[in-house]
Amino acid sequence: MSEIQLWTIPTNWQWATIADIGEVVSGGTPSTKNPSFWGGAINWISPADLSGYNNKFIFKGAKSLTETGLENSSAKLMPAGSIHFSSRAPIGYVVISKTNISTNQGFKSVVPAKGIFNEYVYYFLKSAKRIAEERASGTTFKELSGKAFSELPIPIPPVDEQHRIVAKIDELFSELDQGIESLKTCREHLKVYRQMVLKHAFEGKLTEQWRNGHADQLETAEQLLAQIKEKREQRYQQQLEEWKKAIQTWEEAGKQDKRPSKPQQPTLPPPLTKQELAELPQLASGWCWVRPEEVSSPEKYSIGIGPFGSNLKVSDYEQGGIPLIFVKNITNNDFTLDLKYISQKKFQELQAHTVKPLDIVITKMGDPPGDVAIYPKSSPVAVLTADCLKFRVWSDFVERNYFKYCIESNLIKKQLGFITKGVAQKKISTERFKRLCFPLPNREEQSRIVMEIEKIFSTADTLHIEITNNLEKAEILRYSILKKAFSGQLVPQDPNEESANVLLQLIRAEREAIIKPTRKPFKNRKKEIDTVADLISVLESAPAWLSAQDVFRQCGISDGAETEAIEKLYLELRDLAKEKLIEVERRGDEDWLRISLVKE
């Protein structure tokens, strides 16, 4: 019995270890090279089967073994009612098997002894994830060994109290889950509501009454575009005159330096065809469709994407200098998140990818792509990385927030989905982005639309924050329930019940009375080691981050690689992380990986 006491428990309870309350069993995986090992009647699970799985019980996994497969692996068939705890990638999934089942080596399981209620152990292990992680070994990729799992402390109450505790947890969790489901439904309704607001905004319905009341005072969008075109031409003529003077100065100086570059005459996309207009929604009166180039800043490189991977690598990162903008900065609308920098010298090579304050920045990957943010006004000049796109509007004539909200709407997201191309890595190119069609009103109505959207969204955001806070409180309450349960505060104790110390002594006595049979060694078994797919190739071919679980699967691990192959992959991952050839990011319960080379 355990001498470790993590917290105070009632006098008729007893601290024990997992090994004290049942048989601890590790899993195994037969080789996938032999098809006769797979597809049989023996249930078999891996941690992948529990990803997103919220039920207390499980009947089977995605794969099964044959009798031969079981015999030719270290997997063991455990009886129904066994508790299975994932010991890596990630640590902390818990489930009870409803049928006889075996597992891969990603689980440490316990077959509970008589008098130990498996659902009590299940709930304790659900609450003990942090305790387990603290006892896991490894740095980047933690794993809980069989010995460490066996030695996990667990408070044991009398038999009947175990059942009362589980019944109370089930009752409280059922009420809590109903509340959480209602909150999540409200959150989803908010998303639908926001999209409905955007739909009305860009159909002209949100400002219809205002527009009708000011009809004789407003210019049309066509007139606005004509002004932009005229101003663009004037600017070009001014640049042309400046260039002619520069050429004259250059010639008078003997043409010694590089010849000044002639400014490019502005070119705009052709008008939309009848067929293109027929595929777009009907516009409000006085509006027109516009391409990004027609409203972009006249500055060079106003629309563009991040540099090719060969132009920006992890080895270019510095401790300070010019900040970089990544997909996660845009998605989280947080440009201080995990800051990385490049030198001023490298920045000079990447002028085409410069982002200035108030530029619109967009993710060019996703399903669909189109997470969007405005680079903050007070921020320094930055550089885009791969999978990001910038759109610098001409703010003298158009409202940047109008275009930002437009990109958030399903109207543009649908178009983004159509122009996202590729097989392994679907992305938006600059040229395809330029083919988007935005509904454009005059400048006054753009500002009015932004004001109406932000007024409505302010209320929605307040409600969203409240929902998020309540969801967080619900999870805190869940752990509070478990904390009370395993300290003897959830249900009353019965002084007439037999002490847990007696129960544990009976378990130990029964175990000592059993003569354990010697397991027969495998006969004529040739050990097969799976050849792990090239890890670097897997990560290089990934469109973005991959979860460790997906990496294992693509390397052949979750499909049944032997223990040696798995250990080899873990060592390879550890070494690559140390050498900074791969990046590792912790997200919730899992490690996510990507190749350090920044791709296009």
Side-chain angles (χ1 to χ4, degrees), residues 84 111 122 127 346 425 568 584:
H84 312 284
V111 182
Y122 164 85
S127 72
K346 189 65 182 178
Q425 300 180 35
K568 178 182 176 183
V584 182

Side-chain angles (χ1 to χ4, degrees), residues 583-596:
E583 294 183 70
V584 182
E585 185 176 280
R586 189 70 174 175
R587 300 181 186 176
D589 293 338
E590 291 189 273
D591 288 314
W592 287 70
L593 318 172
R594 73 172 177 186
I595 199 74
S596 287

